[in-house]
Amino acid sequence: MRENVSDPASPFPFPIRTECPPGACVCERDRVMADPQADHRPLALTRQQEQKLVERIERIESYADLQHVQALIQKNLGARLRVEPGPNEVRTVRGIIVVLEEKPGLCKKARQAVPSAVRRRLHERPDIAWALLDAHDLFGGQAG
């Protein structure tokens, strides 16, 4: 399968993600493509762009850099990447909630690959996880 790079029938001025096999995804791609008022940004996340995003996430060096990537995802895809401490005690990276929120047109594979890449990076760089916890007031600001 190839990305829709130069398909003259495409109503979009950018390449769009190829359609997933029937039943494999619930992204509502066809509905988004048919609605001229819909947010079409998620369709621009082709498999190649998804891989670039995952590679960028794997290069995150600080909590500020993570926030920058979150802002870029929000701006370019219209989807929010939530990275926050879970409701229970956080003992490992698994206690941190990492979710790329659902957005019509955003493939299920991307919604799985992006959080997985963030978790891997947090595991590799625990200082980023600690900064995240500190930003949510779990380390500092407690009266003793």
Side-chain angles (χ1 to χ4, degrees), residues 62-111:
S62 66
Y63 178 59
D65 197 16
L66 173 62
Q67 290 177 310
H68 176 72
V69 169
Q70 287 176 290
L72 288 174
I73 289 171
Q74 178 72 42
K75 176 185 169 199
N76 295 325
L77 298 178
R80 184 169 169 243
L81 174 62
R82 289 180 36 227
V83 184
E84 57 195 38
N88 300 318
E89 184 176 351
V90 177
R91 294 183 182 199
T92 68
V93 172
R94 295 182 130 209
I96 296 175
I97 296 170
V98 184
V99 176
L100 181 57
E101 293 182 341
E102 289 188 34
K103 176 86 175 176
L106 188 60
C107 182
K108 179 173 102 176
K109 292 177 185 177
R111 290 193 325 264

Side-chain angles (χ1 to χ4, degrees), residues 3 12 14-17 39-50 76-77 105-106:
E3 304 300 340
F12 304 105
F14 52 83
I16 62 172
R17 190 176 190 104
D39 185 358
H40 297 117
R41 293 178 292 176
L43 297 176
L45 188 64
T46 64
R47 283 177 171 72
Q48 182 181 11
Q49 291 298 327
E50 177 186 326
N76 295 325
L77 298 178
L106 188 60

